Amino acid sequence: MGDGSARMPRPPAPKPARPAPRPSPPQGRARWPEARHYAALDLGTNNCRLLIARPQGSGFTVVDAFSRIVRLGEGLASSGRLSDAAIERTIAALKICADKLKRRHVALSRSVATEACRQATNGPEFIQRVYRETGIVLDIITAEEEARLAVLGCHALLEPGDGPALVFDIGGGSTELVLVDSAGDTASPQPRILDWHSAPWGVVSLTEARGIADDHDPDAREAGYARMRESVAEAFAPFIARLPEITGTPRLLGTSGTVTTLASVHLGLPSYDRSAIDGLIVPAASM
């Protein structure tokens, strides 16, 4: 070998230790179960409502909820704008919603705004401010989309029966009436919408524009109530003229804050109880 020495072969380098295999997540459990929360936020003319749920079986179970009367549409009928005070109240409520969404690690959410933001000249400006201060992206939906979502949210509670049924949603700034055929295509889990109507009257807009000037004056109360009935009847007239003749027992399904409040009063509840209200059947005379 040149110098008479022998060069010993180098021992092979030790193989790097193989990392221990990662344990598989338990069967039937998501790797990140907290990411399977979904949320819906509804900013109306009167209320701000948030619901957070997670899948359970074939449906969902509610894990968190929030509701606050913000009266976003207060003064809108006379000014055409969302007032500074109403905006501040609403953003304060939306900041609470944003905190809940973050703490629950919500994977997917939909946030909508309705009649007040549709009507207000500063509605788009308000939406931008909400995003800057809370991170919530509000979508100002049309009256037609509002009616469709109302049906999607509650049609499972429709009682079986013949003929079409009427779903109604009395909001703060508008009322949606939706005629549905719940006995249509059996392959579809959703009823078919036959007709719909949106009237620009809700508990806030009707009270402010046609309300009672003096609660202590019986004549003023009666006159105010008559104005309300007249305005609502006029707004509903085109839809009523299109309604087909209903045979048998009419089926009406109400959704959202006004009708659930009336149901709570009917039951004499000291506070709102979703388990007692959802699916409740109330005689028309009681309503």
Side-chain angles (χ1 to χ4, degrees), residues 94-143:
L94 289 171
K95 285 180 177 178
I96 296 174
C97 294
D99 182 62
K100 287 180 175 289
L101 292 170
K102 183 177 180 180
R103 285 192 290 109
R104 293 289 183 177
H105 304 284
V106 169
L108 182 67
S109 65
R110 176 100 191 267
S111 304
V112 301
T114 54
E115 186 69 13
C117 290
R118 285 196 292 261
Q119 287 191 5
T121 56
N122 59 339
E125 177 187 330
F126 165 72
I127 297 297
Q128 293 173 4
R129 182 179 168 188
V130 167
Y131 177 67
R132 289 196 308 269
E133 298 191 20
T134 71
I136 293 173
V137 179
L138 282 169
D139 177 19
I140 303 177
I141 59 175
T142 64

Side-chain angles (χ1 to χ4, degrees), residues 15 28 32 48 62 67 69 80 87 90 98 124 129 132 144 169-170 244 251 262 264 274:
K15 293 182 179 179
W32 298 285
C48 173
V62 175
S67 179
I69 295 175
I87 288 174
T90 304
R129 182 179 168 188
R132 289 196 308 269
E144 182 176 7
D169 178 355
I170 306 170
R251 289 178 295 150
L262 288 171
S264 299
R274 183 187 297 110

Side-chain angles (χ1 to χ4, degrees), residues 12-275:
K15 293 182 179 179
R18 297 180 66 181
R22 294 181 180 177
S24 299
Q27 290 297 317
R29 182 180 172 190
R31 187 184 295 270
W32 298 285
E34 69 276 5
R36 299 179 67 235
H37 288 144
Y38 306 99
L41 191 154
D42 175 13
L43 178 60
T45 304
N46 195 46
N47 275 295
C48 173
R49 292 186 293 267
L50 170 71
L51 208 62
I52 301 176
R54 66 167 179 263
Q56 185 176 51
S58 61
F60 292 87
T61 183
V62 175
V63 298
D64 206 346
F66 174 79
S67 179
R68 177 175 291 180
I69 295 175
V70 295
R71 294 187 69 85
L72 178 61
E74 186 176 45
L76 176 63
S78 57
S79 69
R81 293 176 56 83
L82 304 175
S83 71
D84 291 342
I87 288 174
E88 295 300 329
R89 288 194 301 266
T90 304
I91 288 182
L94 289 171
K95 285 180 177 178
I96 296 174
C97 294
D99 182 62
K100 287 180 175 289
L101 292 170
K102 183 177 180 180
R103 285 192 290 109
R104 293 289 183 177
H105 304 284
V106 169
L108 182 67
S109 65
R110 176 100 191 267
S111 304
V112 301
T114 54
E115 186 69 13
C117 290
R118 285 196 292 261
Q119 287 191 5
T121 56
N122 59 339
E125 177 187 330
F126 165 72
I127 297 297
Q128 293 173 4
R129 182 179 168 188
V130 167
Y131 177 67
R132 289 196 308 269
E133 298 191 20
T134 71
I136 293 173
V137 179
L138 282 169
D139 177 19
I140 303 177
I141 59 175
T142 64
E144 182 176 7
E145 175 73 352
E146 186 174 359
R148 187 184 72 85
L149 291 176
V151 172
L152 285 177
C154 69
H155 71 84
L157 296 174
L158 274 171
E159 286 293 301
D162 298 326
L166 183 69
V167 176
F168 63 96
D169 178 355
I170 306 170
S174 66
T175 294
E176 277 65 50
L177 305 172
V178 191
L179 190 69
V180 299
D181 177 12
S182 58
D185 184 4
T186 55
S188 174
Q190 302 167 9
R192 184 166 59 98
I193 295 179
L194 302 174
D195 199 354
W196 70 279
H197 182 75
S198 180
W201 298 118
V203 294
V204 176
S205 57
L206 190 63
T207 302
E208 290 190 349
R210 301 288 188 269
I212 302 164
D214 184 359
D215 270 342
H216 302 289
D217 183 347
D219 292 336
R221 285 202 303 269
E222 187 174 343
Y225 186 61
R227 285 194 301 272
M228 288 182 175
R229 286 180 61 91
E230 182 181 358
S231 297
V232 171
E234 182 180 345
F236 287 177
F239 181 70
I240 293 172
R242 300 195 304 267
L243 282 179
E245 182 180 353
I246 305 295
T247 58
T249 303
R251 289 178 295 150
L252 291 90
L253 176 60
T255 181
S256 281
T258 301
V259 72
T260 56
T261 298
L262 288 171
S264 299
V265 172
H266 169 70
L267 293 178
L269 298 180
S271 60
Y272 178 67
D273 181 353
R274 183 187 297 110
S275 63

